[in-house]
Amino acid sequence: MTVQHEATQGVILTDVAAAKVSSLLAQEGRDDLKLRIAVQPGGCSGLRYQLYFDERDIEGDIISEFGGVHVVTDKMSAPYLTGATIDFVDTIEKQGFTIDNPNATGSCACGDSFH
């Protein structure tokens, strides 16, 4: 199995997002989970993001570490996510993870999908 460890390519997890993910992982009570970020067909713009905890190691995964959090991207999603920054926002207007993706040429009004 080939798993690449790259901190200079792929996605970037901000310190705030890494702290939130660490907090969520602590609530799960498991130390074998990683944050997996994938791009899937769907949404009104053609592609949409998926963020979830995963214990699997898949052939070709790209793994980066941010503040003790392992972030995993599969080899098919990686080209769509190179240079994307994942942050966590907690304001009166919005709470949740945000993705700033320089590869997205457009997005839908709800912000859940891109092309």
Side-chain angles (χ1 to χ4, degrees):
M1 174 182 335
T2 303
V3 177
Q4 300 175 14
H5 291 270
E6 298 183 16
T8 57
Q9 293 182 331
V11 298
I12 299 162
L13 197 64
T14 67
D15 291 342
V16 173
K20 182 62 175 180
V21 172
S22 290
S23 172
L24 293 170
L25 286 171
Q27 289 176 13
E28 290 291 324
R30 292 178 56 186
D31 60 0
D32 62 332
L33 295 175
K34 303 175 232 17
L35 178 65
R36 183 171 291 277
I37 302 163
V39 173
Q40 298 291 322
C44 54
S45 291
L47 297 170
R48 60 182 228 169
Y49 302 108
Q50 289 190 327
L51 279 80
Y52 57 95
F53 294 130
D54 195 2
E55 71 276 352
R56 299 174 298 161
D57 290 320
I58 300 173
E59 177 83 24
D61 275 351
I62 298 170
I63 302 173
S64 300
E65 185 178 342
F66 301 92
V69 173
H70 290 92
V71 178
V72 181
T73 307
D74 65 86
K75 64 183 175 184
M76 299 301 283
S77 298
Y80 296 103
L81 296 168
T82 298
T85 301
I86 299 171
D87 197 7
F88 185 79
V89 178
D90 190 2
T91 65
I92 292 174
E93 296 89 23
K94 182 177 184 178
Q95 181 184 40
F97 289 97
T98 62
I99 300 175
D100 180 18
N101 189 345
N103 302 304
T105 57
S107 62
C108 65
C110 66
D112 288 337
S113 65
F114 71 100
H115 63 272

